[in-house]
Amino acid sequence: MSIKRLTRYPSYDVMSQRHEWDEHTRRIVLDRLQTGGGGYTFLTAVEAENLRAWCCLLLDDERPEIIQFVLDHIDTKMNSGQESQRKPGEPPAPALVRNGLQALDSACQRLHTKRFFHMDQEQKKQIMHAISQGDGSPPDIWRSIPQQAWFQKLLKLAIDGYYSHPEVWSEIGYGGPAYPRGYVRMNPDVPDPWEPIKEGKPS
C-alpha cells in the first residue's frame, strides 16, 4: 500500500517541463518512468524481494513504481561492476551487496524461519538497526560481512536511485535538468521562471 506523501509542491509536475529539454535529455528522463518489471541481470528473485522490503523501509516509501525503479537502478549498477570509490579493505560493491543479501536471508531464516520480506515492520526495523550498528545476528553468519559498510552501500545506492526519479523530483520541488535553459537568477530563494514555487509551510 502506498503511503501518503507530504509535499510543499502538491500541484507541481516536473514532466510538464519536458518540452523544454533537448531530445536526449527528454528520453533519459522518460525512460525513468518505465521500470524493468523485475527482469534483473544481477539480482536473484529472492535477493530482489528482500532488497525491495529493505528499500521500502529504508526510504519510508512503498510505492511500487518508485521502489521498482530503485531496484532496477541497483541491479544495473551491480551488473556493471563500476563504482566511483571504495574504502581500503572493503569488498567490491557487487560482492558486498550480494554477500550481505545472502547473509540477511540466511540469518532471517535461521532466527525467524522466514525471509526478511515476510516479516512485520517492527522485526524489519530491529534487524536493520542492528546491522547498521554492526551487531547483526547470528554472529557466525555476519562475521565475514562488513555490516556497516553493507548498510551504507545500500543506503547510498537506494538514495541515488530514489532521488533520480521524476515523481520524487516533483515532490521535492526540483525543476528537472537545467540544460538547455540554464539558471539566470542566482540570488537565494529567487527561483527562475521555470522552477516550482513553494505552496505552503513544511509539515
Side-chain angles (χ1 to χ4, degrees), residues 11 20 95 105 145 151:
S11 63
E20 299 287 352
D105 194 52
I145 310 296
F151 177 85

Side-chain angles (χ1 to χ4, degrees), residues 5-10 171-173 189 197-203:
R5 311 304 301 175
L6 299 177
T7 175
R8 298 183 70 175
Y9 307 89
E171 292 176 351
I172 64 175
D189 297 321
I197 298 174
K198 295 183 181 71
E199 299 177 32
K201 296 181 180 179
S203 303

